[in-house]
Amino acid sequence: MSYKQHIIGQKIYNPVSPRPSVGGMKQYKVASTCELAGKTLIAHLDGLEPVCVQFLDGENLLWGHPGEAMRWEPYEAAKGDEKLFLIKFVLSGSRPITYITLVWDESTQLITCVKAILGADEKRPRLVDSRVYFGAQKLPHQPLTDKRHAYTEDLVGKRIIWRYNPNDEIMHCYCGTDYFRLGKSEKVLAQNATEADKAHYQRFVERRGIYPVYEEPSYYIKLRDGFYLYSVTERNINRFLPEQGGNQLLILLNALRVRYIGRVFGYRGDGSLENDFIGAIGGFCPEPDEVESLPYPIYPPE
């Protein structure tokens, strides 16, 4: 197996079950955590009003600004490391759909909030737009720290081969501070592919002529030594093929163990809402991929 060949629709053998193993990007995702249950977070995010978040249990929270009624939302959380949480929830009833992702480091009291909006541009309803807010946790009887997470160039020039399941590898190339590429791979359709797999493969075929190399806008944030948050939004795919792309991938990278937890937000190919945790294990690769030698940008600016 190599990241240079991506087999679409290949089923993964599971020796202990008549059903195939979980495929896609979820084979190696970490389990959700209930460790936040009973905790309260007072978040001060630069440029926004303070917000109180009460984690009622492992699946439900209340949130609100000072002087406002608290609002209930279901949430999901996963751990990137000890005391480092990735928390996600959709603001119920929001139009356009608004999605909140919090990275909370209890060890430093630092917080990054990514506010993502799906459908903010009426002309491009699949496109996710996101904004980052840095801040800190306010503790009782203590001053608010002036330290913050920050954008970083640490990953520029590096690349990781990620394994999502036993048959699927993808190379992430961190080419610059504001863009991202995937290593070049050939898309092959499995012999036993389902109709859904065939439709997925056909979307790749359709875009190959006008979008031959995966290059999308990105940003990179350092959380603590060896831990990063990075975003990739499929803006270019959606520009050339309005019925595809637009999704945002947000990854909490543990560069020490070389694994990640992440979340995908946007529309699937069938039009349903995608709001899932994903995960992968991987390794840094010293050899550059041929896509890294291409001039930037590959696609003209919008």
Side-chain angles (χ1 to χ4, degrees):
M1 179 187 61
S2 167
Y3 78 89
K4 292 182 177 294
Q5 185 179 76
H6 184 198
I7 303 176
I8 297 174
Q10 182 170 325
K11 301 301 181 284
I12 304 165
Y13 174 64
N14 186 343
V16 297
S17 171
R19 300 175 59 190
S21 298
V22 176
M25 304 172 79
K26 298 182 181 180
Q27 182 78 19
Y28 299 123
K29 80 179 184 73
V30 300
S32 298
T33 181
C34 295
E35 288 186 31
L36 295 176
K39 294 186 178 184
T40 297
L41 169 64
I42 307 297
H44 286 238
L45 300 169
D46 298 339
L48 298 177
E49 289 185 85
V51 62
C52 174
V53 184
Q54 297 178 356
F55 298 95
L56 302 178
D57 52 33
E59 298 179 342
N60 300 278
L61 60 78
L62 293 174
W63 71 275
H65 300 293
E68 294 182 353
M70 300 290 279
R71 306 174 218 179
W72 169 84
E73 307 287 359
Y75 81 96
E76 193 174 6
K79 292 180 67 175
D81 192 43
E82 195 61 33
K83 295 186 178 296
L84 184 61
F85 297 95
L86 184 68
I87 306 156
K88 65 181 183 71
F89 57 97
V90 176
L91 298 184
S92 57
S94 57
R95 292 294 182 272
I97 301 172
T98 303
Y99 188 83
I100 302 297
T101 304
L102 298 174
V103 178
W104 177 18
D105 191 341
E106 277 196 294
S107 65
T108 61
Q109 290 85 53
L110 299 185
I111 303 164
T112 290
C113 172
V114 178
K115 182 179 180 181
I117 299 177
L118 176 57
D121 185 344
E122 294 182 358
K123 296 180 180 179
R124 299 175 66 178
R126 292 184 61 92
L127 181 61
V128 173
D129 183 52
S130 69
R131 183 170 178 179
V132 176
Y133 299 90
F134 297 120
Q137 176 187 7
K138 180 67 172 69
L139 296 175
H141 314 297
Q142 295 187 28
L144 187 71
T145 179
D146 59 0
K147 295 181 180 179
R148 296 291 186 270
H149 295 147
Y151 294 107
T152 182
E153 298 182 5
D154 286 2
L155 296 175
V156 174
K158 297 181 173 62
R159 64 203 66 84
I160 297 176
I161 298 176
W162 290 112
R163 176 174 291 188
Y164 290 99
N165 58 63
N167 294 325
D168 194 2
E169 288 186 345
I170 295 177
M171 175 184 275
H172 285 192
C173 303
Y174 313 113
C175 299
T177 58
D178 62 348
Y179 73 105
F180 168 98
R181 290 174 182 166
L182 293 183
K184 186 176 181 180
S185 67
E186 178 188 8
K187 305 297 187 293
V188 179
L189 186 64
Q191 291 184 347
N192 60 345
T194 65
E195 291 304 314
D197 296 328
K198 292 176 182 178
H200 184 49
Y201 175 75
Q202 186 60 34
R203 286 193 289 272
F204 279 114
V205 172
E206 290 173 0
R207 78 186 195 198
R208 188 177 297 155
I210 60 174
Y211 183 83
V213 177
Y214 189 105
E215 177 187 87
E216 297 293 350
S218 62
Y219 51 80
Y220 304 87
I221 296 165
K222 186 169 184 177
L223 303 171
R224 61 163 86 150
D225 287 343
F227 290 84
Y228 301 89
L229 183 73
Y230 66 92
S231 163
V232 180
T233 301
E234 293 184 334
R235 191 176 189 97
N236 286 331
I237 293 177
N238 183 248
R239 174 162 55 123
F240 297 121
L241 296 161
E243 300 304 315
Q244 296 185 32
N247 293 17
Q248 184 192 36
L249 173 65
L250 194 65
I251 288 175
L252 198 167
L253 164 64
N254 179 339
L256 305 179
R257 296 179 59 200
V258 198
R259 70 171 302 155
Y260 82 64
I261 59 172
R263 66 100 174 117
V264 181
F265 177 52
Y267 288 120
R268 297 184 178 91
D270 62 6
S272 60
L273 184 66
E274 188 169 17
N275 169 26
D276 299 325
F277 271 140
I278 58 174
I281 57 177
F284 283 93
C285 178
E287 298 297 326
D289 186 86
E290 60 186 275
V291 302
E292 296 178 65
S293 64
L294 299 173
Y296 171 75
I298 295 172
Y299 308 109
E302 294 186 65

